[in-house]
Amino acid sequence: MQRVIQAVKWTLFYTAVTVFVVFAVFPFYWMLVTSFKQNRDLYVGATNTAHIPWIFNDPPTLDHVRLLFHNTPYVTWLSNTAFTGALVVGITLAVAVPAGYSLARLVGDWGERLGIGVFLTYLIPPTLLFIPFSRLVSALGLQNSLWALVLVYPTFTIPFTTWLLMGFFRAIPRDLEEQAMIDGYSRLGGIVKVVMPLSVPGVLTAVIFAFTLVMQEFVYALTFVTSVDKMTVSLGVPVALVRGDVYYWGSLMAAALFASVPIAIVYSLFMDRFIAGLTAGAVKG
Amino acid sequence: MGTTRQTVELAPRLSGLQARLRYWPDRAGLLGWTMLTPALVYVSVLVGVPFVLAIVLSFSAATAGSLSFSFVGLNNFASVIRDPTFHTALKNTLFFTLVSQALVIVLASIQARLLTVAFPGRRAVRFLVLLPWAAPVALSSMAWTWIYDSTFSVINWTLSALHLLKPGQWLYWLGTPDLAMAAIVIVHVWRMLPFATVVLMAGMTSIPQDIQEAAVIDGASLWRRMLQIEVPLLLPIVAVAVLFGVVFTSTDLSVVWLLTRGGPYNSTHVLASLAFQRGILGANLGEGAATALFLFPVLVLGAVVMLRVARRTEVGA
């Protein structure tokens, strides 16, 4: 009897887990299958229940992928995203690393309040700011240019990475820096020679985080950029890959797959670090 | 070992002496503010200025073409409030946010509990269920658009194959107001669930094991342990998860924009997508800004809850 109850429990457990996994993964599976299906396999009579859309009924094809890379600006969008991402990550690190350290160690009680203040600005959403930003961007003559994105994206990457780095810096024992200063380093020297090497994992997390945020951003790109050749991946795929009312679903899904799955995997691998950084930032050091 | 202890004892005297002798990089306060200034300037200029500008714009008849401001008082707000589409958008914003966040928190509690059980393949499962949060929303929403396709929807095919739809019956997911709403809620839940789950899992693992064990020894049932230990201890962290979810969902325009553009017949507009349509596509910056400002109370509420939670954790620590 005990064994039966146990078996029922495990069955229920695995059913629930399976439901959650299928729900989470299905859109990605659907991207994958659609990307490599032949058109006659994709666009078969929809109400025909004899034709199973879940699987490959015809052999897979690379036609959609070829179309995507040769006949659309997909590669340009990827390089635009990389360009914007690299510059935004650079600006973010240059500003957020010193700020995070300062909040964690140097400015005392103010650090606590300012840290929360900086973090709260992350809550101010693009949707409240995109209209005034569009005005500022056109006043600066940056409309329809990637530089508008480079200027604006740090407004959300800096607050979050500062908070994240603050947590990481707090986790480094204070004694190490004090030791370095006793050994003759200046405080700044101690930071550069002792703290920085130890915070490589934290900084790497910040880099990944800032870059994924740039890849994910949609609202500002939609507002500022109108030319197809200036778009990022997140904008170009949904906006410019659809021609009129014709959806090339194979190429569209391939475009979504290649840009989202690698970034999702990297991000997920770093998820624990984000949580660690977040909670360390919230606990008083 | 001995030398370490010695230096630690010497540290206060030495660092006090050094602080006076050295130049400014050694003065913690000054160095601290120097290192902090760029971040404060960047954030306050590029978040503060647009924020003020948003308020100014909402009182002006500014259009995208001209750079002049003409003060029109509350006219924008008045015309926004008179607009029936605005009422729909306001209702939808509340509906999407509340329904999807309620679903998220219930499902996340179940999912977090499942994932704290040790079972073979747990790491893989955890990894897979986290993917939706990390994928760029613009791209994953395209996958959903295809899943909801009016002719080739895989959901409809599956329902038909399972005989849950009558022959000839077909659901137009993004073309019927009620179904379009359901579709948008599903995507929001799909997207926010991983984040809430991770936050809850972090909270669950932070509950000291000895409290749980003591309760078990005292003969507390699973139910009582949940209600009297876990719920109170998890409440602050649940508040954070809910708060983030509410702020992100209520202010998001990407899911609605990508799935329906506010259609059919403006029935799925939210405040953010309406502000985009008015302010950017319609070039009426004033009305757009006024519409977006209706999101502000949500943010204030969010910030207040956040600060209270932060203060409580401080006291606890």
Side-chain angles (χ1 to χ4, degrees):
Chain A
M1 194 57 203
Q2 198 66 32
R3 289 227 327 249
V4 174
I5 292 171
Q6 208 58 37
V8 170
K9 267 189 181 170
W10 278 109
T11 314
L12 281 177
F13 176 83
Y14 277 111
T15 312
V17 169
T18 311
V19 169
F20 277 113
V21 170
V22 169
F23 180 53
V25 172
F26 180 67
F28 299 107
Y29 171 76
W30 207 232
M31 286 182 204
L32 181 76
V33 173
T34 309
S35 305
F36 300 107
K37 265 192 186 181
Q38 297 182 24
N39 272 334
R40 60 170 187 192
D41 193 358
L42 274 181
Y43 306 121
V44 92
T47 43
N48 175 10
T49 40
H51 180 94
I52 303 166
W54 286 77
I55 51 166
F56 286 100
N57 298 285
D58 290 312
T61 173
L62 285 173
D63 286 351
H64 305 304
V65 181
R66 234 173 270 136
L67 180 80
L68 179 70
F69 280 94
H70 294 312
N71 301 14
T72 75
Y74 189 62
V75 177
T76 314
W77 298 334
L78 287 177
S79 71
N80 286 346
T81 310
F83 170 83
T84 313
L87 284 171
V88 171
V89 166
I91 295 172
T92 306
L93 283 190
V95 173
V97 170
Y101 181 82
S102 172
L103 287 173
R105 284 281 199 274
L106 299 175
V107 289
D109 281 350
W110 275 91
E112 198 68 41
R113 272 167 253 158
L114 279 172
I116 292 171
V118 167
F119 185 66
L120 283 181
T121 58
Y122 181 74
L123 287 180
I124 300 179
T127 37
L128 202 64
L129 301 178
F130 68 92
I131 288 174
F133 262 134
S134 77
R135 193 67 193 258
L136 278 184
V137 160
S138 65
L140 293 170
L142 293 177
Q143 68 269 50
N144 197 20
S145 125
L146 288 174
W147 293 104
L149 304 183
V150 172
L151 180 75
V152 169
Y153 284 179
T155 57
F156 54 79
T157 57
I158 289 173
F160 207 90
T161 40
T162 302
W163 176 267
L164 210 58
L165 287 166
M166 187 172 96
F168 285 121
F169 285 130
R170 274 192 185 154
I172 296 173
R174 239 171 231 275
D175 307 358
L176 292 173
E177 291 150 79
E178 279 160 10
Q179 186 69 53
M181 283 165 70
I182 291 160
D183 291 348
Y185 283 115
S186 69
R187 189 177 267 273
L188 202 57
I191 296 172
V192 173
K193 297 270 177 181
V194 179
V195 180
M196 282 304 139
L198 286 173
S199 44
V200 169
V203 173
L204 194 64
T205 309
V207 167
I208 295 201
F209 188 82
F211 191 83
T212 46
L213 278 185
V214 169
M215 272 215 69
Q216 291 170 338
E217 210 289 327
F218 174 70
V219 177
Y220 288 137
L222 180 67
T223 312
F224 304 147
V225 179
T226 45
S227 312
V228 170
D229 62 322
K230 304 254 175 61
M231 290 177 172
T232 56
V233 160
S234 271
L235 180 65
V237 171
V239 172
L241 216 53
V242 182
R243 286 164 212 166
D245 280 340
V246 186
Y247 288 75
Y248 294 92
W249 283 111
S251 307
L252 255 170
M253 288 301 106
L257 184 77
F258 299 145
S260 68
V261 168
I263 208 81
I265 290 175
V266 174
Y267 189 106
S268 298
L269 292 177
F270 275 78
M271 196 88 158
D272 289 321
R273 287 253 180 88
F274 293 131
I275 300 301
L278 270 180
T279 41
V283 175
K284 209 169 180 177
Chain B
M1 200 62 210
T3 44
T4 320
R5 202 190 307 137
Q6 236 175 352
T7 44
V8 169
E9 278 165 9
L10 282 170
R13 245 187 304 147
L14 261 180
S15 57
L17 185 71
Q18 280 179 332
R20 252 175 289 135
L21 290 177
R22 288 206 191 253
Y23 49 102
W24 66 267
D26 275 337
R27 290 176 51 196
L30 198 58
L31 180 66
W33 287 105
T34 314
M35 286 166 76
L36 196 54
T37 306
L40 293 183
V41 169
Y42 207 116
V43 171
S44 47
V45 170
L46 279 168
V47 176
V49 171
F51 189 73
V52 173
L53 196 56
I55 297 170
V56 174
L57 280 172
S58 68
F59 290 106
S60 82
T63 53
S66 76
L67 279 171
S68 64
F69 286 101
S70 52
F71 183 77
V72 294
L74 292 169
N75 271 0
N76 289 324
F77 291 96
S79 67
V80 161
I81 288 174
R82 269 198 306 272
D83 178 7
T85 312
F86 170 79
H87 290 262
T88 318
L90 189 62
K91 251 182 273 165
N92 286 344
T93 306
L94 290 172
F95 180 83
F96 286 136
T97 309
L98 295 179
V99 172
S100 64
Q101 287 320 295
L103 284 171
V104 162
I105 212 68
V106 170
L107 292 175
S109 315
I110 301 172
Q111 187 164 265
R113 189 158 291 280
L114 293 176
L115 287 176
T116 45
V117 176
F119 64 93
R122 178 170 69 158
R123 286 187 65 85
V125 166
R126 212 189 98 114
F127 172 77
L128 291 174
V129 297
L130 292 187
L131 286 178
W133 172 251
V137 61
L139 303 176
S140 52
S141 292
M142 287 317 288
W144 280 104
T145 312
W146 171 225
I147 290 170
Y148 291 136
D149 188 85
S150 55
T151 322
F152 301 105
S153 170
V154 63
I155 304 178
N156 287 2
W157 182 90
T158 309
L159 291 177
S160 288
L162 295 172
H163 299 290
L164 292 170
L165 286 183
K166 293 187 204 83
Q169 197 189 358
W170 200 249
L171 301 174
Y172 294 97
W173 284 97
L174 302 176
T176 333
D178 287 347
L179 280 178
M181 275 202 194
I184 290 169
V185 168
I186 291 173
V187 177
H188 270 304
V189 171
W190 177 79
R191 186 183 167 215
M192 297 299 298
L193 186 56
F195 178 76
T197 304
V198 169
V199 172
L200 281 177
M201 278 172 69
M204 283 180 183
T205 47
S206 73
I207 295 177
Q209 272 303 305
D210 39 340
I211 299 185
Q212 289 278 27
E213 280 159 17
V216 173
I217 292 165
D218 291 347
S221 66
L222 175 70
W223 195 238
R224 270 196 71 182
R225 290 206 310 269
M226 267 170 71
L227 281 182
Q228 296 194 314
I229 298 175
E230 287 189 13
V231 171
L233 284 173
L234 282 177
L235 216 52
I237 206 152
V238 171
V240 171
V242 170
L243 171 79
F244 258 89
V246 165
V247 170
F248 274 117
T249 315
S250 64
T251 61
D252 181 68
L253 75 76
S254 34
V255 171
V256 169
W257 194 257
L258 290 158
L259 288 183
T260 66
R261 312 251 142 133
Y265 326 111
N266 290 331
S267 63
T268 60
H269 259 306
V270 287
L271 289 178
S273 62
L274 190 62
F276 182 80
Q277 198 176 52
R278 288 284 144 77
I280 304 298
L281 298 183
N284 191 335
L285 291 180
E287 275 192 24
T291 308
L293 269 185
F294 279 89
L295 290 168
F296 190 59
V298 181
L299 298 177
V300 173
L301 195 72
V304 169
V305 176
M306 183 83 194
L307 283 173
R308 297 196 92 185
V309 171
R311 196 163 309 142
R312 194 177 313 162
T313 40
E314 246 176 72
V315 172

